[in-house]
Structure formats: C-alpha cells, structure tokens
Amino acid sequence: MTHATNASPDRTPAPAVDRPIAVPADDLDRIWRALAQMPTAIAQLAASTSAQTRMTAQLVEHLASTAPGGAATGGGMGLPGQAGELSIDAFDPDAYAAEVEAMTLWVDEILLGVFGAEVTATRPWCTRWPEHRDAVAMLHMLWLGWQQLTAGDAGLLGPVTWLRDVFFPVMDRLRAPDGPFAACTTDPSRPTHRVLAPPETTDRDALPVAPPRPQLRPRPRLGETA
C-alpha cells in the first residue's frame, strides 16, 4: 500500500513584472527638454574643443616663425609683446602688428565662436575691429586674461574668474551702444564700418598757472635800519 506524499512538484518562479514608475509630468517635461538639448550641447563642446586645439596649433606655428631660430620675441600665448610690456599700445609697430595677427585667431575661434552673441542695435560688432585702436586694446586685455586664467595652473575657478572679472565687464563695454563700435554694424545684413574720431588733444591754455609768489623783503639784521 502506497502512501501519498504532500510534496508539491517543483515550480519555476514567475518572472517579475516591471511596474512603471510614476514620474510627475513636470519632471518628465524637464527630462525631455534636457535630452533634446544634449545634441546641441555636445556639438558646441566638440566645436569649442576643436577650435581651441586648432588655435593652439596655429599659434605655436606663428610663434615659431616670429623670430630667428624659432624663439618668439613678441606676441603669442602669454608672452608680452616686447620688453615686458603688457599694454599693446606700448608695442612698437612690428610687435603690435604681430600681436594683433596672433590675437585674431583667438577672437574669431574662441571669443566670437564660443562666447559671441548676436549682433543687434544694443550689441554692435565690427569685422574690421583691428582698425579701432580702443577695441584692440580691450580685446588684448581679454586675451591676456584668458591666457592666464585658463592655463593649467589657474585652478578650477580660473575660467569662472575670467568670465566674471574680465569677460563680462570688458565685453559689455566693448559692445555697448556707445562703445567703440557705436557707428559700425548693428544689423548683420547691412555691414558698416566707421572709426569714430577721438577727442582733440588737451588745450594747453587750459592748464592751471601758478600765481606769482609775493616778493618778501629781507629782514634787517640786528642794529640795521629797514
């Protein structure tokens, strides 16, 4: 006589059913917008990296050709134009021309290519900026600051410091409606260019003239009469 056992046959566990996670509609909207912007952000980052790589290579080539034996004497990445001068207005004509030429690549590829904004009536620009001496001086300040504050030893906050303390104040003044480009292009479809005349030199007649000093009579010595 056989006895029935209560053992149940082996059963394979039923696969777990993935249950949808409830995500608020506002969060879903933000996620989709972020995903939609990712290709643009990646493309901009790639373009910026490519531009910086290309610019560095061209600047190195430029520096190597500015002096005999490949030793650059003026212009370029972080090097003063001449004799330790940092203000481009103090450069001699040859060093000035070399510095502007080297700086132009950075202006086109980095400053405008990455940080430039649309040309409008309140944000003019001039493609002939090398003819504006005041604009050249401002752009040179931006370039020197960028070289120092984006170098490897500038620290993680170096680029942020450049944006906050150098880029925004100088660029806002450079592209102000009454700045160096006030008479230049405000509409890309109608490019214009005009260098504004600087003020006249100081009228020398306006210099203060010291009043004549009163002539003091010498005091008589003891026993002498005046």
Side-chain angles (χ1 to χ4, degrees), residues 107-156:
V107 170
D108 291 340
E109 298 287 351
I110 301 298
L111 186 66
L112 297 181
V114 178
F115 300 100
E118 183 182 6
V119 175
T120 64
T122 58
R123 194 182 290 116
W125 182 255
C126 184
T127 58
R128 300 183 66 86
W129 59 264
E131 297 181 8
H132 297 263
R133 289 295 296 258
D134 48 356
V136 170
M138 293 184 190
L139 290 170
H140 193 249
M141 296 172 192
L142 288 175
W143 191 36
L144 292 180
W146 181 82
Q147 291 175 69
Q148 178 175 339
L149 294 174
T150 60
D153 58 354
L156 297 178

mmCIF file of all heavy atoms in Angstrom, residues 107-156:
data_model
loop_
_atom_site.group_PDB
_atom_site.id
_atom_site.type_symbol
_atom_site.label_atom_id
_atom_site.label_comp_id
_atom_site.label_asym_id
_atom_site.label_seq_id
_atom_site.Cartn_x
_atom_site.Cartn_y
_atom_site.Cartn_z
ATOM 1 N N VAL A 107 40.208 85.626 -31.283
ATOM 2 C CA VAL A 107 38.975 86.413 -31.347
ATOM 3 C C VAL A 107 37.921 85.681 -32.176
ATOM 4 O O VAL A 107 36.751 85.561 -31.777
ATOM 5 C CB VAL A 107 39.248 87.811 -31.928
ATOM 6 C CG1 VAL A 107 37.938 88.541 -32.226
ATOM 7 C CG2 VAL A 107 40.092 88.636 -30.969
ATOM 8 N N ASP A 108 38.316 85.156 -33.337
ATOM 9 C CA ASP A 108 37.353 84.508 -34.227
ATOM 10 C C ASP A 108 36.896 83.153 -33.709
ATOM 11 O O ASP A 108 35.703 82.835 -33.754
ATOM 12 C CB ASP A 108 37.967 84.347 -35.622
ATOM 13 C CG ASP A 108 38.150 85.668 -36.336
ATOM 14 O OD1 ASP A 108 37.477 86.652 -35.941
ATOM 15 O OD2 ASP A 108 38.967 85.739 -37.275
ATOM 16 N N GLU A 109 37.846 82.356 -33.223
ATOM 17 C CA GLU A 109 37.520 80.974 -32.875
ATOM 18 C C GLU A 109 36.942 80.823 -31.470
ATOM 19 O O GLU A 109 36.043 80.015 -31.255
ATOM 20 C CB GLU A 109 38.775 80.093 -33.002
ATOM 21 C CG GLU A 109 39.345 80.026 -34.406
ATOM 22 C CD GLU A 109 38.492 79.176 -35.332
ATOM 23 O OE1 GLU A 109 37.567 78.501 -34.851
ATOM 24 O OE2 GLU A 109 38.756 79.198 -36.549
ATOM 25 N N ILE A 110 37.474 81.562 -30.520
ATOM 26 C CA ILE A 110 37.064 81.386 -29.130
ATOM 27 C C ILE A 110 36.106 82.477 -28.677
ATOM 28 O O ILE A 110 34.964 82.215 -28.284
ATOM 29 C CB ILE A 110 38.293 81.334 -28.201
ATOM 30 C CG1 ILE A 110 39.217 80.176 -28.603
ATOM 31 C CG2 ILE A 110 37.861 81.193 -26.749
ATOM 32 C CD1 ILE A 110 38.584 78.821 -28.488
ATOM 33 N N LEU A 111 36.552 83.727 -28.757
ATOM 34 C CA LEU A 111 35.734 84.809 -28.221
ATOM 35 C C LEU A 111 34.393 84.900 -28.926
ATOM 36 O O LEU A 111 33.333 84.940 -28.283
ATOM 37 C CB LEU A 111 36.487 86.133 -28.324
ATOM 38 C CG LEU A 111 35.799 87.333 -27.659
ATOM 39 C CD1 LEU A 111 35.755 87.134 -26.152
ATOM 40 C CD2 LEU A 111 36.503 88.626 -28.004
ATOM 41 N N LEU A 112 34.414 84.943 -30.260
ATOM 42 C CA LEU A 112 33.160 85.038 -31.003
ATOM 43 C C LEU A 112 32.534 83.673 -31.240
ATOM 44 O O LEU A 112 31.321 83.509 -31.134
ATOM 45 C CB LEU A 112 33.403 85.745 -32.343
ATOM 46 C CG LEU A 112 33.888 87.189 -32.255
ATOM 47 C CD1 LEU A 112 34.064 87.763 -33.654
ATOM 48 C CD2 LEU A 112 32.931 88.049 -31.449
ATOM 49 N N GLY A 113 33.366 82.674 -31.547
ATOM 50 C CA GLY A 113 32.828 81.352 -31.851
ATOM 51 C C GLY A 113 32.150 80.686 -30.682
ATOM 52 O O GLY A 113 31.206 79.917 -30.853
ATOM 53 N N VAL A 114 32.619 80.975 -29.467
ATOM 54 C CA VAL A 114 32.050 80.337 -28.274
ATOM 55 C C VAL A 114 31.238 81.320 -27.445
ATOM 56 O O VAL A 114 30.125 81.019 -27.014
ATOM 57 C CB VAL A 114 33.175 79.714 -27.407
ATOM 58 C CG1 VAL A 114 32.594 79.094 -26.143
ATOM 59 C CG2 VAL A 114 33.951 78.674 -28.207
ATOM 60 N N PHE A 115 31.782 82.510 -27.218
ATOM 61 C CA PHE A 115 31.143 83.455 -26.307
ATOM 62 C C PHE A 115 30.443 84.610 -27.023
ATOM 63 O O PHE A 115 29.809 85.433 -26.376
ATOM 64 C CB PHE A 115 32.179 84.043 -25.343
ATOM 65 C CG PHE A 115 32.870 83.015 -24.489
ATOM 66 C CD1 PHE A 115 34.137 82.565 -24.814
ATOM 67 C CD2 PHE A 115 32.236 82.491 -23.377
ATOM 68 C CE1 PHE A 115 34.778 81.622 -24.036
ATOM 69 C CE2 PHE A 115 32.876 81.537 -22.591
ATOM 70 C CZ PHE A 115 34.145 81.102 -22.922
ATOM 71 N N GLY A 116 30.587 84.710 -28.318
ATOM 72 C CA GLY A 116 29.968 85.807 -29.039
ATOM 73 C C GLY A 116 28.449 85.692 -29.052
ATOM 74 O O GLY A 116 27.888 84.599 -29.035
ATOM 75 N N ALA A 117 27.805 86.823 -29.071
ATOM 76 C CA ALA A 117 26.346 86.855 -29.115
ATOM 77 C C ALA A 117 25.896 87.540 -30.404
ATOM 78 O O ALA A 117 26.707 88.131 -31.125
ATOM 79 C CB ALA A 117 25.784 87.595 -27.896
ATOM 80 N N GLU A 118 24.627 87.447 -30.680
ATOM 81 C CA GLU A 118 24.078 88.012 -31.916
ATOM 82 C C GLU A 118 24.304 89.520 -31.983
ATOM 83 O O GLU A 118 24.235 90.225 -30.979
ATOM 84 C CB GLU A 118 22.580 87.706 -31.981
ATOM 85 C CG GLU A 118 21.921 88.198 -33.262
ATOM 86 C CD GLU A 118 20.425 87.927 -33.272
ATOM 87 O OE1 GLU A 118 19.905 87.469 -32.226
ATOM 88 O OE2 GLU A 118 19.782 88.170 -34.301
ATOM 89 N N VAL A 119 24.595 89.983 -33.176
ATOM 90 C CA VAL A 119 24.766 91.413 -33.402
ATOM 91 C C VAL A 119 23.395 92.079 -33.438
ATOM 92 O O VAL A 119 22.527 91.705 -34.217
ATOM 93 C CB VAL A 119 25.527 91.680 -34.718
ATOM 94 C CG1 VAL A 119 25.596 93.172 -35.001
ATOM 95 C CG2 VAL A 119 26.918 91.085 -34.649
ATOM 96 N N THR A 120 23.219 93.071 -32.578
ATOM 97 C CA THR A 120 21.954 93.807 -32.525
ATOM 98 C C THR A 120 22.266 95.288 -32.344
ATOM 99 O O THR A 120 23.420 95.687 -32.230
ATOM 100 C CB THR A 120 21.070 93.329 -31.351
ATOM 101 O OG1 THR A 120 21.735 93.618 -30.114
ATOM 102 C CG2 THR A 120 20.800 91.833 -31.444
ATOM 103 N N ALA A 121 21.218 96.087 -32.302
ATOM 104 C CA ALA A 121 21.396 97.522 -32.103
ATOM 105 C C ALA A 121 22.006 97.834 -30.744
ATOM 106 O O ALA A 121 22.697 98.835 -30.587
ATOM 107 C CB ALA A 121 20.059 98.242 -32.252
ATOM 108 N N THR A 122 21.768 96.980 -29.769
ATOM 109 C CA THR A 122 22.331 97.192 -28.438
ATOM 110 C C THR A 122 23.609 96.396 -28.224
ATOM 111 O O THR A 122 24.195 96.466 -27.145
ATOM 112 C CB THR A 122 21.314 96.813 -27.349
ATOM 113 O OG1 THR A 122 20.929 95.438 -27.518
ATOM 114 C CG2 THR A 122 20.078 97.697 -27.446
ATOM 115 N N ARG A 123 24.018 95.615 -29.228
ATOM 116 C CA ARG A 123 25.231 94.819 -29.115
ATOM 117 C C ARG A 123 25.952 94.821 -30.459
ATOM 118 O O ARG A 123 26.012 93.822 -31.163
ATOM 119 C CB ARG A 123 24.893 93.395 -28.687
ATOM 120 C CG ARG A 123 26.078 92.573 -28.211
ATOM 121 C CD ARG A 123 25.683 91.166 -27.839
ATOM 122 N NE ARG A 123 24.879 91.136 -26.634
ATOM 123 C CZ ARG A 123 23.610 90.726 -26.597
ATOM 124 N NH1 ARG A 123 23.010 90.343 -27.694
ATOM 125 N NH2 ARG A 123 22.935 90.712 -25.469
ATOM 126 N N PRO A 124 26.525 95.957 -30.857
ATOM 127 C CA PRO A 124 27.159 96.049 -32.173
ATOM 128 C C PRO A 124 28.489 95.290 -32.216
ATOM 129 O O PRO A 124 29.060 94.933 -31.193
ATOM 130 C CB PRO A 124 27.364 97.550 -32.355
ATOM 131 C CG PRO A 124 27.491 98.082 -30.955
ATOM 132 C CD PRO A 124 26.595 97.231 -30.115
ATOM 133 N N TRP A 125 28.958 95.084 -33.422
ATOM 134 C CA TRP A 125 30.261 94.460 -33.639
ATOM 135 C C TRP A 125 30.819 94.998 -34.943
ATOM 136 O O TRP A 125 30.087 95.522 -35.784
ATOM 137 C CB TRP A 125 30.157 92.936 -33.687
ATOM 138 C CG TRP A 125 31.500 92.285 -33.870
ATOM 139 C CD1 TRP A 125 32.008 91.713 -34.993
ATOM 140 C CD2 TRP A 125 32.511 92.151 -32.872
ATOM 141 N NE1 TRP A 125 33.269 91.235 -34.772
ATOM 142 C CE2 TRP A 125 33.616 91.492 -33.469
ATOM 143 C CE3 TRP A 125 32.601 92.546 -31.527
ATOM 144 C CZ2 TRP A 125 34.784 91.216 -32.782
ATOM 145 C CZ3 TRP A 125 33.760 92.263 -30.839
ATOM 146 C CH2 TRP A 125 34.838 91.596 -31.449
ATOM 147 N N CYS A 126 32.133 94.875 -35.131
ATOM 148 C CA CYS A 126 32.767 95.340 -36.352
ATOM 149 C C CYS A 126 33.793 94.304 -36.795
ATOM 150 O O CYS A 126 34.707 93.967 -36.029
ATOM 151 C CB CYS A 126 33.450 96.696 -36.141
ATOM 152 S SG CYS A 126 34.150 97.388 -37.660
ATOM 153 N N THR A 127 33.632 93.781 -38.005
ATOM 154 C CA THR A 127 34.587 92.804 -38.523
ATOM 155 C C THR A 127 35.937 93.447 -38.846
ATOM 156 O O THR A 127 36.923 92.732 -39.038
ATOM 157 C CB THR A 127 34.029 92.127 -39.780
ATOM 158 O OG1 THR A 127 33.738 93.127 -40.761
ATOM 159 C CG2 THR A 127 32.755 91.353 -39.453
ATOM 160 N N ARG A 128 35.982 94.760 -38.875
ATOM 161 C CA ARG A 128 37.242 95.482 -39.088
ATOM 162 C C ARG A 128 37.754 96.062 -37.758
ATOM 163 O O ARG A 128 38.311 97.157 -37.715
ATOM 164 C CB ARG A 128 37.039 96.590 -40.125
ATOM 165 C CG ARG A 128 36.572 96.065 -41.475
ATOM 166 C CD ARG A 128 36.451 97.189 -42.499
ATOM 167 N NE ARG A 128 37.751 97.775 -42.814
ATOM 168 C CZ ARG A 128 38.580 97.309 -43.744
ATOM 169 N NH1 ARG A 128 38.242 96.251 -44.450
ATOM 170 N NH2 ARG A 128 39.732 97.907 -43.973
ATOM 171 N N TRP A 129 37.571 95.298 -36.701
ATOM 172 C CA TRP A 129 37.955 95.771 -35.372
ATOM 173 C C TRP A 129 39.443 96.113 -35.261
ATOM 174 O O TRP A 129 39.797 96.976 -34.440
ATOM 175 C CB TRP A 129 37.575 94.747 -34.305
ATOM 176 C CG TRP A 129 38.187 93.384 -34.463
ATOM 177 C CD1 TRP A 129 37.616 92.292 -35.051
ATOM 178 C CD2 TRP A 129 39.488 92.969 -34.029
ATOM 179 N NE1 TRP A 129 38.472 91.229 -35.021
ATOM 180 C CE2 TRP A 129 39.625 91.610 -34.393
ATOM 181 C CE3 TRP A 129 40.543 93.606 -33.375
ATOM 182 C CZ2 TRP A 129 40.778 90.875 -34.132
ATOM 183 C CZ3 TRP A 129 41.699 92.879 -33.109
ATOM 184 C CH2 TRP A 129 41.809 91.537 -33.481
ATOM 185 N N PRO A 130 40.369 95.489 -36.042
ATOM 186 C CA PRO A 130 41.773 95.903 -35.896
ATOM 187 C C PRO A 130 42.028 97.376 -36.212
ATOM 188 O O PRO A 130 43.084 97.909 -35.843
ATOM 189 C CB PRO A 130 42.511 94.991 -36.889
ATOM 190 C CG PRO A 130 41.667 93.760 -36.972
ATOM 191 C CD PRO A 130 40.266 94.285 -36.916
ATOM 192 N N GLU A 131 41.077 98.048 -36.884
ATOM 193 C CA GLU A 131 41.246 99.473 -37.178
ATOM 194 C C GLU A 131 40.758 100.359 -36.040
ATOM 195 O O GLU A 131 40.957 101.571 -36.076
ATOM 196 C CB GLU A 131 40.513 99.824 -38.477
ATOM 197 C CG GLU A 131 41.070 99.103 -39.700
ATOM 198 C CD GLU A 131 40.354 99.481 -40.978
ATOM 199 O OE1 GLU A 131 39.519 100.420 -40.937
ATOM 200 O OE2 GLU A 131 40.619 98.851 -42.017
ATOM 201 N N HIS A 132 40.122 99.766 -35.042
ATOM 202 C CA HIS A 132 39.676 100.515 -33.858
ATOM 203 C C HIS A 132 40.720 100.319 -32.762
ATOM 204 O O HIS A 132 40.779 99.260 -32.132
ATOM 205 C CB HIS A 132 38.310 100.009 -33.377
ATOM 206 C CG HIS A 132 37.195 100.203 -34.344
ATOM 207 N ND1 HIS A 132 36.329 101.276 -34.281
ATOM 208 C CD2 HIS A 132 36.790 99.453 -35.397
ATOM 209 C CE1 HIS A 132 35.422 101.172 -35.250
ATOM 210 N NE2 HIS A 132 35.691 100.076 -35.947
ATOM 211 N N ARG A 133 41.543 101.314 -32.524
ATOM 212 C CA ARG A 133 42.615 101.144 -31.539
ATOM 213 C C ARG A 133 42.069 100.865 -30.142
ATOM 214 O O ARG A 133 42.646 100.089 -29.382
ATOM 215 C CB ARG A 133 43.508 102.394 -31.525
ATOM 216 C CG ARG A 133 44.381 102.563 -32.747
ATOM 217 C CD ARG A 133 45.408 101.453 -32.855
ATOM 218 N NE ARG A 133 46.357 101.450 -31.773
ATOM 219 C CZ ARG A 133 47.605 101.916 -31.855
ATOM 220 N NH1 ARG A 133 48.034 102.442 -32.990
ATOM 221 N NH2 ARG A 133 48.428 101.844 -30.823
ATOM 222 N N ASP A 134 40.958 101.505 -29.778
ATOM 223 C CA ASP A 134 40.403 101.251 -28.456
ATOM 224 C C ASP A 134 39.859 99.831 -28.347
ATOM 225 O O ASP A 134 39.998 99.177 -27.315
ATOM 226 C CB ASP A 134 39.328 102.275 -28.106
ATOM 227 C CG ASP A 134 38.312 102.479 -29.224
ATOM 228 O OD1 ASP A 134 38.476 101.890 -30.309
ATOM 229 O OD2 ASP A 134 37.353 103.257 -29.012
ATOM 230 N N ALA A 135 39.261 99.326 -29.437
ATOM 231 C CA ALA A 135 38.766 97.951 -29.425
ATOM 232 C C ALA A 135 39.913 96.959 -29.345
ATOM 233 O O ALA A 135 39.823 95.938 -28.647
ATOM 234 C CB ALA A 135 37.917 97.693 -30.662
ATOM 235 N N VAL A 136 41.002 97.242 -30.049
ATOM 236 C CA VAL A 136 42.178 96.361 -29.998
ATOM 237 C C VAL A 136 42.706 96.277 -28.569
ATOM 238 O O VAL A 136 43.037 95.187 -28.079
ATOM 239 C CB VAL A 136 43.270 96.864 -30.954
ATOM 240 C CG1 VAL A 136 44.567 96.104 -30.733
ATOM 241 C CG2 VAL A 136 42.828 96.718 -32.407
ATOM 242 N N ALA A 137 42.773 97.404 -27.891
ATOM 243 C CA ALA A 137 43.269 97.411 -26.512
ATOM 244 C C ALA A 137 42.365 96.579 -25.604
ATOM 245 O O ALA A 137 42.849 95.799 -24.768
ATOM 246 C CB ALA A 137 43.370 98.847 -26.001
ATOM 247 N N MET A 138 41.047 96.710 -25.765
ATOM 248 C CA MET A 138 40.124 95.946 -24.929
ATOM 249 C C MET A 138 40.217 94.450 -25.228
ATOM 250 O O MET A 138 40.225 93.616 -24.317
ATOM 251 C CB MET A 138 38.695 96.439 -25.146
ATOM 252 C CG MET A 138 38.435 97.842 -24.660
ATOM 253 S SD MET A 138 36.681 98.300 -24.851
ATOM 254 C CE MET A 138 36.756 100.042 -24.498
ATOM 255 N N LEU A 139 40.260 94.085 -26.506
ATOM 256 C CA LEU A 139 40.358 92.678 -26.877
ATOM 257 C C LEU A 139 41.674 92.075 -26.391
ATOM 258 O O LEU A 139 41.718 90.897 -26.008
ATOM 259 C CB LEU A 139 40.224 92.530 -28.394
ATOM 260 C CG LEU A 139 38.834 92.806 -28.956
ATOM 261 C CD1 LEU A 139 38.868 92.871 -30.475
ATOM 262 C CD2 LEU A 139 37.849 91.731 -28.505
ATOM 263 N N HIS A 140 42.725 92.870 -26.402
ATOM 264 C CA HIS A 140 44.008 92.379 -25.911
ATOM 265 C C HIS A 140 43.938 92.101 -24.421
ATOM 266 O O HIS A 140 44.518 91.112 -23.932
ATOM 267 C CB HIS A 140 45.102 93.407 -26.217
ATOM 268 C CG HIS A 140 46.490 92.880 -26.025
ATOM 269 N ND1 HIS A 140 47.314 93.324 -25.010
ATOM 270 C CD2 HIS A 140 47.193 91.938 -26.702
ATOM 271 C CE1 HIS A 140 48.465 92.689 -25.088
ATOM 272 N NE2 HIS A 140 48.428 91.846 -26.098
ATOM 273 N N MET A 141 43.231 92.944 -23.677
ATOM 274 C CA MET A 141 43.043 92.683 -22.251
ATOM 275 C C MET A 141 42.303 91.367 -22.040
ATOM 276 O O MET A 141 42.651 90.570 -21.159
ATOM 277 C CB MET A 141 42.271 93.829 -21.608
ATOM 278 C CG MET A 141 42.985 95.167 -21.632
ATOM 279 S SD MET A 141 41.875 96.489 -21.055
ATOM 280 C CE MET A 141 42.821 97.936 -21.519
ATOM 281 N N LEU A 142 41.258 91.146 -22.832
ATOM 282 C CA LEU A 142 40.512 89.891 -22.735
ATOM 283 C C LEU A 142 41.410 88.699 -23.038
ATOM 284 O O LEU A 142 41.331 87.659 -22.377
ATOM 285 C CB LEU A 142 39.328 89.903 -23.715
ATOM 286 C CG LEU A 142 38.154 90.814 -23.381
ATOM 287 C CD1 LEU A 142 37.135 90.796 -24.509
ATOM 288 C CD2 LEU A 142 37.480 90.385 -22.077
ATOM 289 N N TRP A 143 42.254 88.850 -24.043
ATOM 290 C CA TRP A 143 43.126 87.742 -24.460
ATOM 291 C C TRP A 143 44.156 87.414 -23.392
ATOM 292 O O TRP A 143 44.384 86.246 -23.066
ATOM 293 C CB TRP A 143 43.812 88.114 -25.773
ATOM 294 C CG TRP A 143 44.528 86.983 -26.434
ATOM 295 C CD1 TRP A 143 44.144 85.673 -26.464
ATOM 296 C CD2 TRP A 143 45.757 87.060 -27.160
ATOM 297 N NE1 TRP A 143 45.048 84.936 -27.184
ATOM 298 C CE2 TRP A 143 46.053 85.754 -27.616
ATOM 299 C CE3 TRP A 143 46.619 88.103 -27.478
ATOM 300 C CZ2 TRP A 143 47.182 85.469 -28.370
ATOM 301 C CZ3 TRP A 143 47.748 87.811 -28.237
ATOM 302 C CH2 TRP A 143 48.021 86.521 -28.675
ATOM 303 N N LEU A 144 44.788 88.440 -22.833
ATOM 304 C CA LEU A 144 45.773 88.206 -21.778
ATOM 305 C C LEU A 144 45.125 87.527 -20.574
ATOM 306 O O LEU A 144 45.690 86.600 -19.984
ATOM 307 C CB LEU A 144 46.415 89.532 -21.358
ATOM 308 C CG LEU A 144 47.313 90.226 -22.382
ATOM 309 C CD1 LEU A 144 47.866 91.524 -21.793
ATOM 310 C CD2 LEU A 144 48.440 89.332 -22.844
ATOM 311 N N GLY A 145 43.939 88.008 -20.187
ATOM 312 C CA GLY A 145 43.245 87.396 -19.055
ATOM 313 C C GLY A 145 42.872 85.954 -19.329
ATOM 314 O O GLY A 145 42.972 85.093 -18.442
ATOM 315 N N TRP A 146 42.446 85.665 -20.552
ATOM 316 C CA TRP A 146 42.075 84.295 -20.915
ATOM 317 C C TRP A 146 43.286 83.366 -20.852
ATOM 318 O O TRP A 146 43.194 82.240 -20.358
ATOM 319 C CB TRP A 146 41.476 84.293 -22.318
ATOM 320 C CG TRP A 146 41.044 82.947 -22.797
ATOM 321 C CD1 TRP A 146 39.878 82.298 -22.516
ATOM 322 C CD2 TRP A 146 41.781 82.077 -23.668
ATOM 323 N NE1 TRP A 146 39.848 81.084 -23.154
ATOM 324 C CE2 TRP A 146 40.998 80.922 -23.864
ATOM 325 C CE3 TRP A 146 43.023 82.184 -24.297
ATOM 326 C CZ2 TRP A 146 41.417 79.871 -24.673
ATOM 327 C CZ3 TRP A 146 43.444 81.131 -25.091
ATOM 328 C CH2 TRP A 146 42.651 79.989 -25.279
ATOM 329 N N GLN A 147 44.425 83.847 -21.322
ATOM 330 C CA GLN A 147 45.625 83.013 -21.296
ATOM 331 C C GLN A 147 46.031 82.680 -19.861
ATOM 332 O O GLN A 147 46.419 81.545 -19.560
ATOM 333 C CB GLN A 147 46.778 83.745 -22.000
ATOM 334 C CG GLN A 147 46.574 83.889 -23.499
ATOM 335 C CD GLN A 147 47.678 84.714 -24.134
ATOM 336 O OE1 GLN A 147 48.815 84.288 -24.208
ATOM 337 N NE2 GLN A 147 47.345 85.916 -24.579
ATOM 338 N N GLN A 148 45.932 83.650 -18.975
ATOM 339 C CA GLN A 148 46.352 83.412 -17.597
ATOM 340 C C GLN A 148 45.351 82.571 -16.837
ATOM 341 O O GLN A 148 45.727 81.657 -16.098
ATOM 342 C CB GLN A 148 46.559 84.746 -16.880
ATOM 343 C CG GLN A 148 46.947 84.579 -15.407
ATOM 344 C CD GLN A 148 47.256 85.899 -14.736
ATOM 345 O OE1 GLN A 148 47.553 86.888 -15.395
ATOM 346 N NE2 GLN A 148 47.188 85.930 -13.416
ATOM 347 N N LEU A 149 44.063 82.848 -17.003
ATOM 348 C CA LEU A 149 43.052 82.234 -16.151
ATOM 349 C C LEU A 149 42.472 80.946 -16.714
ATOM 350 O O LEU A 149 41.604 80.339 -16.081
ATOM 351 C CB LEU A 149 41.929 83.241 -15.886
ATOM 352 C CG LEU A 149 42.364 84.455 -15.065
ATOM 353 C CD1 LEU A 149 41.249 85.481 -14.969
ATOM 354 C CD2 LEU A 149 42.819 84.033 -13.661
ATOM 355 N N THR A 150 42.932 80.518 -17.889
ATOM 356 C CA THR A 150 42.529 79.198 -18.389
ATOM 357 C C THR A 150 43.740 78.274 -18.504
ATOM 358 O O THR A 150 43.617 77.173 -19.045
ATOM 359 C CB THR A 150 41.836 79.300 -19.766
ATOM 360 O OG1 THR A 150 42.741 79.882 -20.720
ATOM 361 C CG2 THR A 150 40.574 80.132 -19.674
ATOM 362 N N ALA A 151 44.882 78.701 -18.013
ATOM 363 C CA ALA A 151 46.074 77.851 -18.012
ATOM 364 C C ALA A 151 45.926 76.757 -16.962
ATOM 365 O O ALA A 151 45.066 76.822 -16.072
ATOM 366 C CB ALA A 151 47.318 78.701 -17.742
ATOM 367 N N GLY A 152 46.780 75.741 -17.065
ATOM 368 C CA GLY A 152 46.660 74.596 -16.170
ATOM 369 C C GLY A 152 46.854 74.934 -14.710
ATOM 370 O O GLY A 152 46.285 74.274 -13.839
ATOM 371 N N ASP A 153 47.648 75.956 -14.413
ATOM 372 C CA ASP A 153 47.905 76.308 -13.021
ATOM 373 C C ASP A 153 46.940 77.357 -12.489
ATOM 374 O O ASP A 153 47.131 77.878 -11.393
ATOM 375 C CB ASP A 153 49.345 76.807 -12.859
ATOM 376 C CG ASP A 153 49.650 78.014 -13.751
ATOM 377 O OD1 ASP A 153 48.780 78.375 -14.570
ATOM 378 O OD2 ASP A 153 50.754 78.583 -13.628
ATOM 379 N N ALA A 154 45.898 77.673 -13.258
ATOM 380 C CA ALA A 154 44.944 78.693 -12.815
ATOM 381 C C ALA A 154 43.929 78.142 -11.821
ATOM 382 O O ALA A 154 43.210 78.910 -11.187
ATOM 383 C CB ALA A 154 44.218 79.293 -14.018
ATOM 384 N N GLY A 155 43.850 76.840 -11.689
ATOM 385 C CA GLY A 155 42.887 76.252 -10.764
ATOM 386 C C GLY A 155 41.524 76.079 -11.408
ATOM 387 O O GLY A 155 41.250 76.586 -12.500
ATOM 388 N N LEU A 156 40.660 75.357 -10.716
ATOM 389 C CA LEU A 156 39.343 75.044 -11.269
ATOM 390 C C LEU A 156 38.471 76.276 -11.440
ATOM 391 O O LEU A 156 37.581 76.299 -12.284
ATOM 392 C CB LEU A 156 38.632 74.023 -10.361
ATOM 393 C CG LEU A 156 39.314 72.659 -10.227
ATOM 394 C CD1 LEU A 156 38.531 71.773 -9.276
ATOM 395 C CD2 LEU A 156 39.442 71.985 -11.592
#
